[in-house]
Amino acid sequence: GCVFAQRGHGDKPITLDMMSNVTTANKDLPEAARRDMVLASIAIKYTQSNSVGYAANGMMIGVGAGQQSRVDCVKLAGRKVTTWWMRQHPKVLGLKFKPEVKRQARVNARVRYIEGDMSDIERAEWAAQFEEVPAPLSPDDYAEHMAKLTGVTLSSDAFFPFRDSIDVAVKFGVKYVAQPGGSVQDKGVTDACDQYGLVQSHHGVRLFHH
């Protein structure tokens, strides 16, 4: 069988006070964002490392775990954020389903509409659920709607080793970053946060789960 080990400070409670060490030039950390930092950090504490989590308004909206590359975790979780946010796009909300299509089937159909990567056979089955088959979402639909997403928090179970995670995260509305810190690259990552006007907290607790 498998043995999982919590490394770092897995038994240490994650609290609001831990998020007080703001390392960026922007020090504006609202209470709601601090709570999202705690929420996201607790969530990824119990996921397979490497892991990151996105939170917004007291909800987890994307988790990426179990990847060797931390930036790949950021991208993986970002796909979940995109799906969550794009479900509120007017074209998605306006999908005209046939009356007999069940609730969960509608949820699945919306997700596949957003993802868009259907084979011809799958698309034909998918299209049969609608009274009017919708046109695909365009790149502009994604870009314009995603640009409206802001105030998102990103937490990482260990330090970000490079700035690439920050460069990716801002594409998903990230404004607040929580991480342990402790990397020789901390300054470069903090500089990246400063360039984007983000607020970053170093809480000093590694949350590895292997």
Side-chain angles (χ1 to χ4, degrees):
C2 296
V3 176
F4 293 93
Q6 194 92 45
R7 297 182 180 176
H9 301 278
D11 58 345
K12 183 175 181 177
I14 298 172
T15 66
L16 292 171
D17 290 342
M18 289 170 55
M19 306 303 167
S20 300
N21 181 27
V22 177
T23 62
T24 45
N26 185 352
K27 309 289 186 185
D28 184 12
L29 182 58
E31 188 73 6
R34 196 185 301 256
R35 288 196 298 268
D36 283 344
M37 285 181 168
V38 170
L39 170 66
S41 299
I42 291 172
I44 61 173
K45 176 180 177 179
Y46 297 103
T47 59
Q48 183 75 13
S49 297
N50 294 320
S51 63
V52 305
Y54 294 80
N57 301 318
M59 302 179 291
M60 291 303 299
I61 59 175
V63 174
Q67 305 302 304
Q68 292 179 320
S69 167
R70 192 159 300 276
V71 70
D72 283 347
C73 295
V74 176
K75 293 174 183 177
L76 178 63
R79 288 178 56 191
K80 298 295 186 179
V81 174
T82 298
T83 300
W84 170 76
W85 184 244
M86 288 300 295
R87 285 178 65 176
Q88 302 171 60
H89 190 282
K91 287 187 177 179
V92 179
L93 294 174
L95 291 173
K96 294 181 171 56
F97 289 96
K98 293 178 179 177
E100 64 271 20
V101 178
K102 304 292 186 182
R103 179 178 179 180
Q104 188 57 50
R106 295 183 184 213
V107 171
N108 296 342
R110 291 187 186 103
V111 170
R112 296 304 289 135
Y113 179 53
I114 293 165
E115 293 173 338
D117 55 345
M118 291 180 272
S119 67
D120 291 342
I121 292 173
E122 182 187 2
R123 186 173 296 278
E125 292 292 321
W126 173 85
Q129 301 174 92
F130 300 97
E131 292 181 337
E132 297 178 18
V133 179
L137 290 163
S138 70
D140 285 345
D141 289 329
Y142 289 97
E144 291 171 7
H145 195 65
M146 290 303 297
K148 299 175 184 177
L149 178 58
T150 188
V152 175
T153 293
L154 174 69
S155 181
S156 176
D157 70 344
F159 59 70
F160 289 112
F162 304 104
R163 64 167 291 149
D164 53 2
S165 291
I166 305 302
D167 291 318
V168 171
V170 294
K171 299 175 183 178
F172 305 107
V174 166
K175 181 68 176 177
Y176 308 101
V177 177
Q179 61 145 320
S183 168
V184 295
Q185 296 290 337
D186 276 353
K187 183 181 183 303
V189 174
T190 299
D191 287 346
C193 289
D194 284 338
Q195 288 172 353
Y196 291 111
L198 308 187
V199 181
Q200 177 183 247
S201 171
H202 282 180
H203 54 67
V205 180
R206 298 176 71 185
L207 302 169
F208 278 154
H209 189 184
H210 290 291

